[in-house]
Amino acid sequence: MKSTALPPVARSPGELRAEVAALRAAGASVALVPTMGSLHAGHLALVRRAAEMADKVVVSIFVNPTQFAPHEDFDSYPRHFENDRASLAAEGLTHLVYYPGVGDMYPEGFATQVSVSGVSEGLCATTRPHFFDGVALVVAKLLNQCRPDVALFGEKDFQQLQVIRRLVADLDIGVRIEGVPIVREPDGLALSSRNAYLTEEQRARAAHLPRVLARVAGRVAMGEDVGIACREGIDELFEAGFDKVDYLEVRREADLSPVLGRRAPDQTHRPARVLAAAHLGRTRLIDNMPVQ
Ligand code: PAF
């Protein structure tokens, strides 16, 4: 049932466990939506899907320091806890917000690392080599602390989603991982908390990223050479005013192995995606699209 009251907040692993145990004792199934806050319509789509899949929805809000390199935007990452809680209340589908502090997640003496090879390599890891270890660590902890039936992640961070699927399968964490399609602005730009960093002019240019991805995906689907389509896609991004392109590549969805040459029609049973990361000034945008 929908309630527009502010959802209660658990601020430590112990409080979270007690609250989830009470939900379980009442016979409820539990979905977890892990976030770093600064919630937008993409996060609310995860919450809505979570509410379809389980009786109770827990949303975690934690800006995870281990997935930021020292030169990245951990300190300036937008934090709007009370606004986020109010947005969740307005949606009326969240039963509990988990909002731990850094010291609760990584207390004095913390010494464990989690690393997923294979799907964690290349793409975003080339320029952010620390990122997926940090994500794998915090997601393993969140899943362990909450023990949900299902956890939901956006497909915008498609490599992250595949890393988490691998982590959960390899460590026998008994949770279903659900990917939720990207939510886009009317001009196609994928919603992201980092879009807030864009100037008005950069924001206008940013909409070229999904357009270029759609063109490359269409060309690859028609059997054009993947290397040529990607190289021309990168040129188009520079022409549109992007300052730097980290990658624009086609990968198989299941294991993120590269798709090279021409994609033959008999490959359509092995779904593929065009994935890209590109910079406008100091803002790095990522996006991806399926090759239909
Ligand atoms: O996608 C995110 O918001 C974060 O990487 C996640 C999965 C919540 C882990 O900190």
Side-chain angles (χ1 to χ4, degrees):
M1 205 176 61
K2 276 199 173 197
S3 152
T4 50
L6 284 177
V9 182
R11 292 179 187 264
S12 68
E15 284 180 27
L16 173 70
R17 283 208 184 93
E19 294 283 350
V20 172
L23 298 176
R24 294 260 183 229
S29 57
V30 174
L32 174 67
V33 179
T35 80
M36 298 208 300
S38 193
L39 303 181
H40 50 63
H43 296 109
L44 298 181
L46 297 179
V47 171
R48 280 196 296 278
R49 180 77 187 115
E52 287 167 5
M53 297 185 75
D55 302 319
K56 302 289 176 186
V57 178
V58 178
V59 176
S60 65
I61 297 180
F62 179 63
V63 183
N64 172 36
T66 64
Q67 66 191 74
F68 291 80
H71 65 278
E72 290 184 340
D73 56 344
F74 174 71
D75 289 333
S76 59
Y77 194 85
R79 289 164 173 86
H80 306 291
F81 178 68
E82 288 308 333
N83 287 354
D84 289 344
R85 199 171 165 217
S87 313
L88 294 172
E91 197 68 19
L93 297 170
T94 301
H95 300 90
L96 181 66
V97 176
Y98 180 39
Y99 185 52
V102 172
D104 299 300
M105 293 298 274
Y106 302 114
E108 189 69 28
F110 190 91
T112 298
Q113 298 190 359
V114 179
S115 190
V116 179
S117 55
V119 284
S120 281
E121 289 153 22
L123 302 175
C124 283
T126 307
T127 48
R128 305 188 75 200
H130 56 283
F131 178 69
F132 291 115
D133 286 1
V135 168
L137 176 61
V138 79
V139 171
K141 283 177 68 71
L142 290 168
L143 294 177
N144 225 1
Q145 291 168 353
C146 181
R147 303 200 178 207
D149 299 280
V150 57
L152 298 95
F153 299 86
E155 287 185 347
K156 185 174 81 68
D157 295 88
F158 196 79
Q159 189 177 15
Q160 167 177 278
L161 175 62
Q162 300 309 64
V163 169
I164 292 165
R165 287 191 201 284
R166 189 74 261 161
L167 167 84
V168 163
D170 290 354
L171 296 186
D172 305 306
I173 305 176
V175 59
R176 173 171 171 180
I177 299 298
E178 179 81 356
V180 176
I182 298 174
V183 178
R184 296 182 180 279
E185 298 278 9
D187 65 0
L189 180 66
L191 294 193
S192 163
S193 306
R194 290 191 170 101
N195 292 351
Y197 298 156
L198 297 169
T199 64
E200 207 174 311
E201 195 206 343
Q202 289 170 338
R203 172 62 191 81
R205 288 181 188 181
H208 286 279
L209 180 57
R211 285 181 213 144
V212 168
L213 288 183
R215 271 199 292 278
V216 173
R219 290 177 63 179
V220 172
M222 296 296 286
E224 284 192 41
D225 182 86
V226 171
I228 295 174
C230 289
R231 270 197 303 281
E232 291 182 3
I234 291 172
D235 290 344
E236 285 176 37
L237 288 175
F238 283 122
E239 278 157 30
F242 277 80
D243 298 297
K244 187 172 161 217
V245 179
D246 286 347
Y247 63 83
L248 191 164
E249 292 183 34
V250 181
R251 299 280 182 116
R252 288 199 182 83
E253 287 191 357
D255 59 2
L256 296 182
S257 60
V259 178
L260 304 167
R262 289 179 201 281
R263 194 158 172 274
D266 67 351
Q267 294 286 301
T268 49
H269 65 284
R270 300 177 73 183
R273 282 203 176 224
V274 188
L275 305 106
H279 298 244
L280 283 165
R282 293 165 63 92
T283 306
R284 181 175 181 272
L285 301 176
I286 60 170
D287 200 350
N288 66 83
M289 280 197 193
V291 175
Q292 301 290 358

